[in-house]
Amino acid sequence: MDVGHLPASEFDSAGLEQSLMGAPEENPVPDMVQLLSIDGELLQDETYGSYVQGLTSEELRGFYRDMFLVRRFDEEATALQRQGELVMWVPLTGQEGAQIGSGRALEPQDYVFPTYREHGVAYTRGLELAQLLRRFRGISHGGWDPREANFHLYTLVLAAQVPHAVGYAMGMARDRLVDPKLPEAATVAYFGDGASSEGDVHEGMVFAASYNAPVVFFCQNNHWAISVPTEVQSRIPLANRAQGYGFPGVRVDGNDVLAVHAVTRWALEHARSGGGPVLIEAFTYRMSAHTTADDPTKYRLSADEEAWLDRDPLLRMEKYLRSQGLADDAFFEDLREEGRSMAVRLRENVQQMEAPGFEDAFADVYAEAHPLIREELDEHRRYEAGFAGADDDASPATTNPAAPEHTA
């Protein structure tokens, strides 16, 4: 490949990876943890197998149910955007195994710092899925209270949440020094392979290693940073980067919900118990567009997408459930009906969402009343009332003449 010539989708991916990765002995590809084969056969693993041995039949069916409903939610949200009900949407199809597996490994006291695609993790934390759509409908800067489920607001700036997760983890560790009765807890910073090239990830990992912070860096390597393949993001496997910071790095099959669950449980235990940070690279694939403003046909081949169809996390888990007699046709049909009902409620909820009034923007600046904010609000009211034809009795600017005292 000539200097200055960036690889495109028509290049042979195997040759490209070899040219960028270097000799195998220089940059060995780490073993990928897998507990379910593509055919749904349960595999043995001395290190991580014990973390799924105790799962009940209900919990195993629950993994599939979570993935199915989150994918149905994703499909409905995409349709809502196409119909003009949402400004934009960020699909997750193909990454359900990575998100549900890791999300179900969390304890209530753990805290999550997501990017903008972790809809499955949000679901495992108990958030109403409709809440996720408030920001994408353009009526809220957030959509939910992060403190209610220890799930932070979505971060649209690439990797900005990583230093936040490290700082929060350092704070939790210091809180336990003051009060040892507090439960052991960790944070999880989710980011993609594209975001791994941002300086915030490097700075976060430096601080986490230096202060032995209880944080798990969870990289969903979905192979595409919008239109740039992973091979251009890094000359070594992403999991190997952890070695440079002095903490463990694990590559896991991100389409194997059981393997992801096991590895994340191990990593969280490691972090909570004082072992320090861990980097998890969940090897998965984004089956849909980066966002609904993206056209993946411009930069990747349909053959590449088709090659991942057999690795679908839902299909793999379905094969396992059926082979073990844990689910039958009735289970899957009931689930399809549940998904249809959920989609109907979601659509109704979105269409009933109302945009906030302009005064709400002034109410959210300070927790308590502030004279400068009150002055600016009065000035804005006068500005609104100054338009020709403005009706002082009905103008939106005067429907609530009292300035907001405070916001919760």
Side-chain angles (χ1 to χ4, degrees):
M1 185 169 62
D2 296 334
V3 175
H5 185 85
L6 291 178
S9 58
E10 65 267 20
F11 276 73
D12 177 71
S13 59
L16 174 62
E17 182 170 1
Q18 182 178 3
S19 66
L20 289 177
M21 292 300 185
E25 61 271 15
E26 296 174 358
N27 297 303
V29 177
D31 292 335
M32 185 165 63
V33 180
Q34 186 181 82
L35 296 181
L36 273 183
S37 70
I38 295 177
D39 296 326
E41 178 185 355
L42 188 62
L43 307 175
Q44 301 299 316
D45 188 287
E46 294 182 1
T47 303
Y48 304 104
S50 60
Y51 287 93
V52 296
Q53 287 179 355
L55 293 174
T56 66
S57 300
E58 189 63 29
E59 288 173 323
L60 292 169
R61 285 190 292 268
F63 283 130
Y64 184 88
R65 177 181 179 274
D66 291 345
M67 291 191 294
F68 181 90
L69 292 179
V70 167
R71 178 171 294 187
R72 185 65 185 87
F73 162 72
D74 186 38
E75 293 170 350
E76 190 65 22
T78 300
L80 286 167
Q81 192 283 327
R82 297 305 190 202
Q83 296 163 8
E85 300 290 351
L86 304 179
V87 178
M88 186 184 72
W89 180 241
V90 185
L92 63 68
T93 296
Q95 299 180 222
E96 297 89 351
Q99 295 193 15
I100 298 302
S102 60
R104 288 301 179 195
L106 293 160
E107 295 290 342
Q109 69 270 20
D110 298 325
Y111 201 103
V112 176
F113 288 84
T115 56
Y116 41 70
R117 200 187 302 274
E118 276 68 57
H119 320 315
V121 183
Y123 180 70
T124 67
R125 297 303 276 174
L127 268 71
E128 290 291 336
L129 291 175
Q131 290 180 294
L132 302 179
L133 301 184
R134 294 177 59 81
R135 167 174 283 188
F136 295 99
R137 190 165 170 83
I139 65 171
S140 173
H141 292 301
W144 61 88
D145 186 343
R147 297 166 296 184
E148 292 181 357
N150 278 6
F151 186 84
H152 206 62
L153 298 177
Y154 276 176
T155 304
L156 302 184
V157 179
L158 282 184
Q161 74 280 4
V162 176
H164 300 165
V166 175
Y168 198 96
M170 292 167 60
M172 290 195 300
R174 282 157 175 72
D175 286 345
R176 290 201 74 245
L177 290 176
V178 176
D179 185 1
K181 295 182 180 180
L182 290 173
E184 293 181 343
T187 65
V188 180
Y190 286 90
F191 57 95
D193 49 297
S196 71
S197 295
E198 296 290 328
D200 286 356
V201 171
H202 168 71
E203 294 167 2
M205 291 186 177
V206 168
F207 263 88
S210 298
Y211 292 93
N212 207 46
V215 56
V216 174
F217 299 101
F218 195 97
C219 177
Q220 292 181 82
N221 180 359
N222 64 19
H223 285 69
W224 290 98
I226 304 184
S227 60
V228 179
T230 307
E231 291 82 3
V232 180
Q233 295 291 325
S234 177
R235 287 183 173 271
I236 65 171
L238 296 178
N240 287 4
R241 287 185 173 181
Q243 299 176 18
Y245 301 99
F247 53 79
V250 183
R251 174 180 274 192
V252 61
D253 184 344
N255 286 15
D256 177 354
V257 65
L258 296 186
V260 173
H261 183 72
V263 168
T264 309
R265 282 186 59 188
W266 172 86
L268 285 168
E269 289 181 4
H270 179 91
R272 294 192 203 105
S273 63
V278 177
L279 169 61
I280 297 175
E281 178 193 357
F283 205 70
T284 183
Y285 194 81
R286 168 167 56 80
M287 294 299 295
S288 50
H290 177 73
T291 71
T292 48
D294 171 43
D295 181 5
T297 65
K298 300 295 185 181
Y299 55 82
R300 70 185 187 192
L301 300 175
S302 58
D304 295 334
E305 300 175 10
E306 293 172 1
W308 279 83
L309 291 177
D310 290 339
R311 309 181 197 182
D312 187 321
L314 275 76
L315 179 60
R316 189 182 307 191
M317 193 61 183
E318 179 180 351
K319 290 178 179 178
Y320 173 71
L321 292 175
R322 287 185 181 276
S323 68
Q324 298 300 308
L326 300 177
D328 55 15
D329 290 341
F331 167 80
F332 294 104
E333 180 55 39
D334 290 345
L335 195 51
R336 282 190 288 270
E337 182 57 37
E338 183 179 357
R340 284 190 289 267
S341 300
M342 179 199 70
V344 170
R345 293 193 304 273
L346 183 73
R347 177 173 292 271
E348 293 174 347
N349 194 314
V350 168
Q351 292 175 339
Q352 293 171 4
M353 290 179 179
E354 296 182 358
F358 83 91
E359 293 188 1
D360 292 338
F362 295 85
D364 290 337
V365 180
Y366 291 96
E368 299 178 357
H370 192 286
L372 178 59
I373 298 300
R374 185 186 298 275
E375 178 183 340
E376 291 176 343
L377 174 60
D378 290 340
E379 176 63 28
H380 195 84
R381 284 176 176 149
R382 290 191 292 271
Y383 168 76
E384 289 283 331
F387 283 98
D391 185 350
D392 291 340
D393 293 330
S395 171
T398 58
T399 54
N400 183 13
E405 292 299 322
H406 67 274
T407 181

